[in-house]
Amino acid sequence: AQSVAQPEDQVNVAEGNPLTVKCTYSVSGNPYLFWYVQYPNRGLQFLLKYITGDNLVKGSYGFEAEFNKSQTSFHLKKPSALVSDSALYFCAVRDWSDSGGYQKVTFGIGTKLQVIP
Amino acid sequence: DTAVSQTPKYLVTQMGNDKSIKCEQNLGHDTMYWYKQDSKKFLKIMFSYNNKELIINETVPNRFSPKSPDKAHLNLHINSLELGDSAVYFCASSQDQGWEAYNEQFFGPGTRLTVL
């Protein structure tokens, strides 16, 4: 069974400062990891994913994430936060279901990012 | 040219009623999903279809019945609505290979269901 943890309910950062949104995972096989963003009253939008290869993954809107196998983490980062980055961020992991019959993506509980002007 | 669309956007109904939510994607994807997002924003998969075949059924009550008439459409019918069904329901699609799930998902705008 897979799990994904987002330890912070909310992250506050000043505009222009670097931001980090944390995610750790636990899977039985090779991890496929994703980050999504949800703006108020909208569906989720894909930001980036790690499947294999380079540990530093670059995505949309200047976001990047670093895959760290030893720490089982996949933290989302951005060098300079914008007020418009304020949203709900979801980390997700793909793994096999408990029955082993199919693969599915499990989402974390979400982290609210508040960028303060 | 919306990629994943859902109707209706809002649905307010009485307990015990039956309602349907429709979803369509024009991305040519093979796999479609239904998710439920509760008031705490927790997102949980309900169903997944690949090429009209049910792949995932995550212990959802029998009152919920998905139907996929073709691979571009996945509808959700809910019988005997209960207060606890109030949530935002998201449809999504991805280009996945049946049992594999390594591609990103594209989400619809959501349907906010309120059961009174």
Side-chain angles (χ1 to χ4, degrees):
Chain A
Q2 73 279 31
S3 71
V4 56
Q6 294 182 242
E8 301 152 317
D9 287 338
Q10 181 157 336
V11 169
N12 295 323
V13 63
E15 187 177 23
N17 281 3
L19 68 88
T20 298
V21 183
K22 294 180 181 176
C23 173
T24 59
Y25 66 89
S26 171
V27 297
S28 54
N30 290 325
Y32 287 0
L33 298 155
F34 305 82
W35 274 103
Y36 288 82
V37 59
Q38 185 179 28
Y39 298 101
N41 300 314
R42 303 284 294 274
L44 278 68
Q45 294 178 36
F46 168 75
L47 280 178
L48 48 80
K49 68 181 178 184
Y50 173 82
I51 304 297
T52 186
D54 231 346
N55 288 344
L56 186 64
V57 180
K58 293 190 184 296
S60 307
Y61 312 122
F63 283 93
E64 57 189 31
E66 187 166 11
F67 171 66
N68 188 318
K69 189 171 182 178
S70 62
Q71 296 184 5
T72 61
S73 68
F74 189 55
H75 301 332
L76 182 70
K77 300 181 180 188
K78 188 173 182 181
S80 177
L82 300 172
V83 172
S84 57
D85 292 330
S86 298
L88 189 58
Y89 289 81
F90 289 93
C91 183
V93 64
R94 182 224 68 169
D95 197 6
W96 288 96
S97 65
D98 291 342
S99 65
Y102 55 83
Q103 294 180 357
K104 67 173 185 177
V105 174
T106 298
F107 287 81
I109 62 170
T111 298
K112 183 178 179 181
L113 173 67
Q114 190 75 35
V115 181
I116 303 159
Chain B
D1 57 345
T2 304
V4 182
S5 59
Q6 295 178 230
T7 53
K9 192 168 173 62
Y10 300 96
L11 191 50
V12 181
T13 188
Q14 299 287 330
M15 239 177 15
N17 282 353
D18 303 337
K19 289 293 177 186
S20 292
I21 307 173
K22 294 186 176 183
C23 178
E24 177 181 1
Q25 56 96 1
N26 61 7
L27 297 166
H29 288 165
D30 289 336
T31 306
M32 296 184 73
Y33 311 81
W34 277 112
Y35 287 90
K36 179 181 180 180
Q37 187 174 45
D38 63 23
S39 57
K40 294 186 178 178
K41 304 298 184 184
F42 183 65
L43 196 66
K44 185 173 167 54
I45 182 118
M46 300 173 69
F47 301 104
S48 165
Y49 270 75
N50 177 263
N51 276 322
K52 303 193 298 173
E53 180 187 348
L54 181 65
I55 300 294
I56 298 175
N57 182 341
E58 282 284 300
T59 60
V60 178
N62 290 340
R63 300 181 296 102
F64 290 79
S65 53
K67 277 211 173 104
S68 182
D70 55 60
K71 72 174 194 178
H73 296 84
L74 180 62
N75 304 323
L76 183 66
H77 187 74
I78 315 170
N79 288 328
S80 304
L81 278 155
E82 300 177 356
L83 293 176
D85 297 333
S86 295
V88 181
Y89 291 84
F90 286 101
C91 177
S93 73
S94 67
Q95 187 55 40
D96 280 317
Q97 304 300 314
W99 307 105
E100 294 280 334
Y102 49 77
N103 284 319
E104 58 270 27
Q105 296 179 22
F106 291 76
F107 283 76
T111 295
R112 184 175 294 275
L113 172 65
T114 304
V115 182
L116 303 174

